[in-house]
Amino acid sequence: MAALLTRRVVLAGKNSVDLETRTAEAVLCSAAAVQRHGERPDGSFGKWIERLDVDGARLDQGPLPLLLDHDHTQAASRVGVAENIRREGDKVVATLRFSAREDVAPLLRDLAEFGGGLSVGYSVKDWKRMP
């Protein structure tokens, strides 16, 4: 199994959080280059540039769980789902639907007020070294 990588999630816009419907529109990833430092896909260590091919993203696996701290071992860590996962230009976008549980409401309010604080976990099936 490929190693789990993470990438920062960006809200789709300033007003992308809807507290009434408990949803948010978010950009899960884009084709933009991201500089990384650490383990490379070939197992070596150092700086490297990651460019994701959004055309190769598997969008047929949703809805996917929204987890606190990428923790899939605790039921309480599941705070919602990412659904309606789709390509929009060079981005992969999703609707995040949060649970109606009382303990999740403060997370959604903080997201609406402060934005950010989200990341997506993913694995890369194929990779190639670029010149």
Side-chain angles (χ1 to χ4, degrees):
M1 182 172 166
L4 179 71
L5 299 171
T6 61
R7 194 177 256 218
R8 192 174 129 245
V9 169
V10 178
L11 294 178
K14 182 172 176 65
N15 298 315
S16 68
V17 178
D18 185 329
L19 294 173
E20 186 175 312
T21 62
R22 300 183 324 277
T23 60
E25 292 298 310
V27 177
L28 301 183
C29 69
S30 73
V34 173
Q35 184 168 329
R36 294 191 169 272
H37 184 80
E39 187 174 3
R40 298 176 179 131
D42 65 2
S44 63
F45 285 85
K47 290 182 181 179
W48 55 289
I49 302 292
E50 177 185 69
R51 287 186 189 89
L52 297 177
D53 174 13
V54 296
D55 290 332
R58 292 189 52 197
L59 306 178
D60 59 347
Q61 298 183 42
L64 300 173
L66 287 180
L67 303 171
L68 284 177
D69 301 321
H70 301 275
D71 181 4
H72 59 84
T73 64
Q74 307 278 336
S77 293
R78 185 173 180 150
V79 296
V81 294
E83 56 192 7
N84 190 22
I85 303 167
R86 62 207 181 270
R87 276 185 209 90
E88 290 184 2
D90 69 343
K91 299 176 176 82
V92 174
V93 178
T95 301
L96 309 180
R97 184 168 46 89
F98 290 82
S99 169
R101 291 189 343 239
E102 287 183 27
D103 62 318
V104 176
L107 299 172
L108 186 57
R109 285 193 305 268
D110 284 353
L111 186 63
E113 185 175 352
F114 305 115
L118 301 174
S119 64
V120 62
Y122 61 97
S123 60
V124 176
K125 181 180 173 189
D126 296 309
W127 68 277
K128 64 181 175 181
R129 187 177 296 272
M130 302 294 287

